[in-house]
Amino acid sequence: MLKPIVSFFEAKVRNRYVSILAAYLVAVVPLLGVLFFFFNQSRILFGELPSVRDRLNNVATRSMGWFDQQFELDPETSFNWISENILSILDIPLGLLQESFQSGTTILANTVLIILITYFMLLYRTAFKNFFLSQVNPKYRETTEQLFSQLQKLTKRYMIGQGLIVVILGVLIGSGLWLIGVPYPFFWGFLAGFLEIIPYVGTTIGGLLPLTYMLMVSDSLWQPLAVLVWYIIVQQLEGNLISPNVMGSSIKVNPLFIIMGLFLGGFIWGVSGMILALPILAISKEIFRSFDVLVPFSYLMEDGLSRKSNVFLDEFDSSQYRFFHVFFEEKKDGNQESKP
């Protein structure tokens, strides 16, 4: 994703080392600043969460007291149930936050390592490209270079589109939260926008955080409910109007593959893998389109798969699109060559 920025500076200064450093100053340093802002602001906002535990205890106790009166339950049993179950749930996010703050050194070390690896990948990118081209039959090199160009355009479109979505969601959600009366509305809005980079998981967390915060600090119930309703409305707008028009259809992947990608990415690389899951899936889909035997897989990954169920029997019902046909043909050819 940094390659277009490096290429822009390379065309100006004609020096790859300086261009990479300039790209870091333009893109990476501001990004790290934004991440630090969100981390620091989150620490301030959630630093008082343990003191709110007593308030939630009182709210839960009053609610269970009402149920006791209505259904003639034992008050002592209800209180013990609250203490052992409901309030213990609060220890989970508090523990995660505490562990996140304590692992700051690890995060810093990984960030430095990623920056160094990215630097050398940008520095040696021409050598990597030529290496891959040398492994391809000369008659296919032009097609391979076109594939590289398509992948570069895809990642560039993803980066720009994702940035626009973050800004749109930040302004849209922040404005709604400001009207509702939520403290730090645009912090919550842009936090939700950044978390949207992780499909489904980030979107859910982006809505639950301000909802939970308002449940803790609001004196009325209408504000948390309004926050929930507003997030549902915005997510419908984002899924059906904003993302399709900003990102384009080439990046859209059906939910089944996104969920599997999130699971595998999270299992292999943690949060970083979940962030990279969608662009990797989109790139894989584009690569599959370049090989006849893999074209059906690319359509299998597309969004709106239920409306395209017949495409496999209508357009891809021939030997050149059959994956196992490659192995069977190779075996068949090998047998034929072995005959005298």
Side-chain angles (χ1 to χ4, degrees), residues 194-223:
F194 274 102
L195 290 174
E196 194 271 338
I197 295 175
I198 306 176
Y200 305 127
V201 177
T203 302
T204 303
I205 296 175
L208 287 178
L209 287 176
L211 174 63
T212 304
Y213 186 78
M214 289 308 295
L215 285 172
M216 294 177 178
V217 302
S218 178
D219 294 327
S220 60
L221 190 60
W222 76 269
Q223 285 182 311

Side-chain angles (χ1 to χ4, degrees), residues 173-290:
I173 295 175
S175 300
L177 297 180
W178 176 71
L179 293 174
I180 295 172
V182 177
Y184 310 100
F186 289 99
F187 163 76
W188 296 116
F190 281 97
L191 178 61
F194 274 102
L195 290 174
E196 194 271 338
I197 295 175
I198 306 176
Y200 305 127
V201 177
T203 302
T204 303
I205 296 175
L208 287 178
L209 287 176
L211 174 63
T212 304
Y213 186 78
M214 289 308 295
L215 285 172
M216 294 177 178
V217 302
S218 178
D219 294 327
S220 60
L221 190 60
W222 76 269
Q223 285 182 311
L225 291 177
V227 170
L228 178 62
V229 172
W230 181 240
Y231 265 88
I232 293 175
I233 293 174
V234 171
Q235 286 309 312
Q236 293 300 315
L237 292 174
E238 187 272 332
N240 298 291
L241 182 63
I242 299 175
S243 287
N245 288 282
V246 173
M247 300 291 280
S249 58
S250 60
I251 300 178
K252 298 293 288 183
V253 179
N254 72 62
L256 176 61
F257 278 87
I258 292 178
I259 293 172
M260 292 192 297
L262 290 174
F263 175 78
L264 291 176
F267 178 77
I268 297 172
W269 293 322
V271 176
S272 301
M274 298 177 74
I275 294 174
L276 292 172
L278 182 56
I280 287 176
L281 287 171
I283 289 173
S284 301
K285 188 178 72 170
E286 192 69 26
I287 293 175
F288 293 163
R289 289 287 170 92
S290 302

Side-chain angles (χ1 to χ4, degrees), residues 1-10 16 19-32 114-123 125 151-152 155-160:
M1 294 181 179
L2 286 174
K3 192 261 182 182
I5 304 176
V6 175
S7 299
F8 171 80
F9 285 109
E10 231 175 335
R16 180 161 293 186
S19 300
I20 295 174
L21 293 176
Y24 270 58
L25 291 175
V26 169
V28 178
V29 172
L31 179 61
L32 292 177
I114 291 171
I115 290 175
L116 288 175
I117 292 174
T118 306
Y119 175 84
F120 287 110
M121 289 181 68
L122 290 169
L123 183 64
R125 68 182 188 274
L151 296 180
Q152 184 59 60
T155 54
K156 182 179 179 181
R157 191 185 314 126
Y158 174 81
M159 180 176 64
I160 296 176

Side-chain angles (χ1 to χ4, degrees), residues 6-225:
V6 175
S7 299
F8 171 80
F9 285 109
E10 231 175 335
K12 304 294 182 181
V13 299
R14 304 292 180 180
N15 187 296
R16 180 161 293 186
Y17 297 95
V18 176
S19 300
I20 295 174
L21 293 176
Y24 270 58
L25 291 175
V26 169
V28 178
V29 172
L31 179 61
L32 292 177
V34 171
L35 293 176
F36 174 78
F37 166 76
F38 280 117
F39 179 83
N40 187 59
Q41 193 67 33
S42 300
R43 181 180 60 83
I44 295 173
L45 287 176
F46 289 98
E48 299 179 355
L49 278 180
S51 63
V52 184
R53 196 174 190 272
D54 294 335
R55 178 178 178 181
L56 289 181
N57 187 12
N58 294 331
V59 173
T61 302
R62 289 198 302 268
S63 300
M64 291 303 297
W66 181 82
F67 278 101
D68 292 340
Q69 294 178 358
Q70 298 296 321
F71 299 100
E72 298 182 355
L73 301 176
D74 183 10
E76 184 176 355
T77 303
S78 300
F79 177 78
N80 292 334
W81 186 82
I82 293 172
S83 301
E84 296 175 1
N85 295 277
I86 296 182
L87 295 179
S88 61
I89 297 176
L90 291 176
D91 295 331
I92 298 176
L94 292 177
L96 291 175
L97 287 172
Q98 186 177 5
E99 291 177 3
S100 300
F101 296 147
Q102 292 175 348
S103 61
T105 304
T106 304
I107 294 174
L108 180 61
N110 290 334
T111 302
V112 172
L113 183 62
I114 291 171
I115 290 175
L116 288 175
I117 292 174
T118 306
Y119 175 84
F120 287 110
M121 289 181 68
L122 290 169
L123 183 64
Y124 303 143
R125 68 182 188 274
T126 303
F128 281 116
K129 175 185 176 182
N130 292 337
F131 166 78
F132 285 116
L133 289 176
S134 69
Q135 303 302 310
V136 178
N137 191 306
K139 65 179 180 179
Y140 297 124
R141 286 179 184 174
E142 183 177 355
T143 304
T144 305
E145 288 202 72
Q146 292 176 356
L147 175 61
F148 289 160
S149 178
Q150 291 174 1
L151 296 180
Q152 184 59 60
K153 292 178 181 178
L154 180 66
T155 54
K156 182 179 179 181
R157 191 185 314 126
Y158 174 81
M159 180 176 64
I160 296 176
Q162 198 66 65
L164 288 174
I165 290 177
V166 169
V167 173
I168 293 172
L169 290 181
V171 173
L172 195 60
I173 295 175
S175 300
L177 297 180
W178 176 71
L179 293 174
I180 295 172
V182 177
Y184 310 100
F186 289 99
F187 163 76
W188 296 116
F190 281 97
L191 178 61
F194 274 102
L195 290 174
E196 194 271 338
I197 295 175
I198 306 176
Y200 305 127
V201 177
T203 302
T204 303
I205 296 175
L208 287 178
L209 287 176
L211 174 63
T212 304
Y213 186 78
M214 289 308 295
L215 285 172
M216 294 177 178
V217 302
S218 178
D219 294 327
S220 60
L221 190 60
W222 76 269
Q223 285 182 311
L225 291 177

